[in-house]
Amino acid sequence: TNYSCFSFGFQIDECLGQGSFTRVFKGTKVDIREGEEHRTQVLLKVLDANHKDYWEAFFEASSMMSQISHKHLLLVYGVSVHGAKNIMVQELVKYGALDLYLKRKGSVSVSCKLDIAKQLALALNFLDEKNIVHGNICAKNVLLAREGDPSQETSPFIKLSDPGIKVSLLDRNVILDRIPWVGPELLQDPPILSLDSDKWSFGATLWEIFNNGETPLKDWDLEMKRRFYGTYQQLEPSQWTELADMITQCMDYQPASRPSCRVVIRQLNNLITSDYEVLHASEAPER
Ligand code: ATP
Ligand code: MG
């Protein structure tokens, strides 16, 4: 098998940081088309040498992402798991991870947050229809391509990132640490990963979005996290009851009871309508 599928050249530029299993770099992709050179800025993920046993899962995540195409899914140009280095080449997303962005900004409008939630639900619906489990949905893996500005009537634009190493391959402690994003069914013996698990993670991600990127259960140790699921607890509910209901429905301990993507999208649309009415009632144009 030829695991390397680059149809382009690339160079590695500066290091941007460290992920759970990877080091990320800014880079330049160079294609020659019709005798002309085209250069594009890209992001390179290099699998850490001490995690190189995961190369097959790394390849799997890359090829899953490069085989599907949706406006709210990150573009993956190629992967190489040949030789010493395992490298994934993907689209560089301008504003980076959503959790950090929300923390940094502090005050992103409710309508922008709703736009983001809706776009993520569309990505989820697309995967659902294709019967593809993502397995690692969280605000950290939602990347922001464009900022929203309600005064300019521009919407934010997000891209769901690759899932990285498949959750079912991870050590139990790593999975425990992913509480509250990981569906509780992944801590069963044997762990069960299905489309329903992504719904749970979507619920936790909604919570992060509407709490300005705050990390849920931050600083909780693994035993406390395990007990959180063991006693069927829920994240602190939002003041906005319709939103709190949605999150609770997604984070249902019974995987089969979680709502379908269609229902999630419909509920989000209803949230937008009611939000609009509340926030804009006084300034509605006269008809
Ligand atoms: P994992 O996805 O395995 O759970 P992670 O998200 O921490 O872990 P990476 O996906 O490798 O690890 O990403 C590391 C960091 O690099 C992200 O948190 C984000 O800040 C940044 N990043 C990742 N992909 C992109 C991208 N395509 N464009 C811009 N920044 C990115
Ligand atoms: Mg990631």
Side-chain angles (χ1 to χ4, degrees):
T1 321
N2 181 11
Y3 286 113
S4 175
C5 48
F6 292 133
S7 55
F8 49 81
F10 65 87
Q11 78 193 38
I12 299 188
D13 304 324
E14 83 255 34
C15 181
L16 291 179
Q18 180 77 40
S20 330
F21 302 98
T22 53
R23 180 165 284 212
V24 291
F25 297 86
K26 212 182 237 183
T28 311
K29 176 167 85 79
V30 185
D31 306 82
I32 310 285
R33 268 177 276 132
E34 292 161 5
E36 263 186 70
E37 195 183 87
H38 296 265
R39 300 171 80 85
T40 321
Q41 285 219 311
V42 290
L43 183 116
L44 303 159
K45 280 191 185 179
V46 182
L47 186 65
D48 290 336
N50 55 336
H51 291 121
K52 70 177 190 311
D53 290 352
Y54 284 132
W55 69 268
E56 223 164 341
F58 186 71
F59 177 76
E60 213 180 287
S62 316
S63 52
M64 184 267 272
M65 294 297 287
S66 56
Q67 279 165 32
I68 51 181
S69 163
H70 186 270
K71 60 183 177 180
H72 293 302
L73 284 182
L74 182 79
L75 208 60
V76 172
Y77 297 115
V79 60
S80 169
V81 289
H82 235 29
K85 276 213 160 76
N86 303 304
I87 304 176
M88 193 190 314
V89 183
Q90 50 177 241
E91 171 186 6
L92 177 70
V93 182
K94 190 167 177 192
Y95 298 98
L98 182 65
D99 61 333
L100 299 178
Y101 177 84
L102 292 173
K103 275 180 193 147
R104 203 162 63 228
K105 280 273 165 174
S107 61
V108 170
S109 73
V110 175
S111 66
C112 277
K113 289 173 183 165
L114 272 174
D115 282 341
I116 290 170
K118 223 178 128 184
Q119 293 172 12
L120 184 58
L122 290 177
L124 202 65
N125 184 53
F126 173 82
L127 293 172
D128 199 89
E129 282 176 348
K130 291 240 169 329
N131 213 7
I132 296 170
V133 178
H134 185 278
N136 195 3
I137 294 171
C138 53
K140 176 187 71 166
N141 281 337
V142 173
L143 304 168
L144 189 65
R146 190 177 72 208
E147 291 182 290
D149 183 352
S151 68
Q152 306 274 314
E153 291 191 24
T154 56
S155 306
F157 200 89
I158 58 117
K159 305 254 181 176
L160 177 61
S161 178
D162 68 278
I165 309 306
K166 201 164 49 199
V167 62
S168 41
L169 295 179
L170 301 177
D171 290 341
R172 186 176 166 82
N173 281 352
V174 179
I175 300 181
L176 280 172
D177 194 43
R178 284 206 187 164
I179 292 175
W181 293 276
V182 78
E185 60 277 11
L186 275 139
L187 288 152
Q188 288 171 10
D189 192 19
I192 302 163
L193 176 65
S194 75
L195 292 169
D196 298 328
S197 314
D198 281 342
K199 303 273 169 46
W200 175 286
S201 311
F202 176 77
T205 309
L206 274 186
W207 190 97
E208 290 181 276
I209 293 170
F210 286 92
N211 285 282
N212 296 318
E214 192 186 313
T215 309
L217 313 188
K218 191 174 189 272
D219 300 330
W220 285 37
D221 65 29
L222 298 187
E223 177 51 26
M224 287 162 75
K225 286 191 168 193
R226 194 195 58 74
R227 226 177 302 134
F228 183 85
Y229 277 7
T231 52
Y232 304 101
Q233 293 187 60
Q234 291 287 336
L235 296 175
E236 194 187 313
S238 159
Q239 304 259 10
W240 190 0
T241 44
E242 289 90 347
L243 175 74
D245 284 349
M246 262 195 84
I247 294 176
T248 318
Q249 284 170 34
C250 290
M251 300 178 81
D252 193 309
Y253 280 80
Q254 277 297 327
S257 304
R258 296 172 200 154
S260 69
C261 285
R262 295 201 172 281
V263 168
V264 166
I265 290 169
R266 197 180 324 127
Q267 288 182 338
L268 282 171
N269 283 331
N270 289 341
L271 280 186
I272 288 170
T273 313
S274 54
D275 170 49
Y276 184 87
E277 282 164 359
V278 171
L279 295 176
H280 298 268
S282 56
E283 47 187 80
E286 282 174 36
R287 286 167 200 261

